[in-house]
Amino acid sequence: QVQLVESGGGLVQPGGSLRLSCAASGSGFVINAMGWYRQAPGKQRELVATITSGGSTDYADSVKGRCTISRDNNKDTVYLQMNTPKPEDTAVYYCNVRVREIRPSRIKDYWGQGTQVTVSS
């Protein structure tokens, strides 16, 4: 089992910055990819950014150049740095972790509880 704890959301002004964190804990697994998704009211959940165990990253076009995803493998933690946020970035942000569980051997996705990010002046 994997537990995910997110932090860093809240109210931020347009043009400001914020950093989201998501720490994974538990045992019996190896973390593969980590990522962030978001869901705005009335919209489907969408990818924001992902990072592989090797450090390769992928971003949604809407956040390229404004967001940076990173991870600390020693802490099993993934971060999302968002600069110059826009009101359209307002959403609930969810951490996603894809792990390889050892027993039974399988690939499984886990989701955080979500953290609200509101971009407003």
Side-chain angles (χ1 to χ4, degrees), residues 10-85:
L11 176 65
V12 60
Q13 292 187 344
S17 66
L18 80 160
R19 189 173 83 154
L20 304 180
S21 300
C22 174
S25 63
S27 62
F29 61 89
V30 175
I31 296 178
N32 293 339
M34 307 180 85
W36 290 94
Y37 291 71
R38 67 186 181 186
Q39 188 167 18
K43 295 187 177 181
Q44 291 187 330
R45 190 174 297 188
E46 63 177 5
L47 169 74
V48 178
T50 60
I51 184 167
T52 68
S53 57
S56 296
T57 58
D58 188 31
Y59 296 92
D61 288 342
S62 59
V63 303
K64 281 181 180 176
R66 300 187 298 114
C67 286
T68 301
I69 189 170
S70 61
R71 61 191 283 174
D72 184 335
N73 291 329
N74 291 326
K75 297 181 179 180
D76 288 339
T77 300
V78 62
Y79 306 95
L80 183 71
Q81 177 72 37
M82 180 178 291
N83 299 321
T84 59

Side-chain angles (χ1 to χ4, degrees), residues 6-12 18-21 93 115-118:
E6 301 171 356
S7 61
L11 176 65
V12 60
L18 80 160
R19 189 173 83 154
L20 304 180
S21 300
Y93 284 70
T115 184
Q116 176 70 46
V117 172
T118 302

Side-chain angles (χ1 to χ4, degrees), residues 13 25 61-62 72 86 92 95 100 105 114 120:
Q13 292 187 344
S25 63
D61 288 342
S62 59
D72 184 335
K86 304 175 181 180
V92 178
C95 169
R100 178 173 59 82
S105 179
S120 175

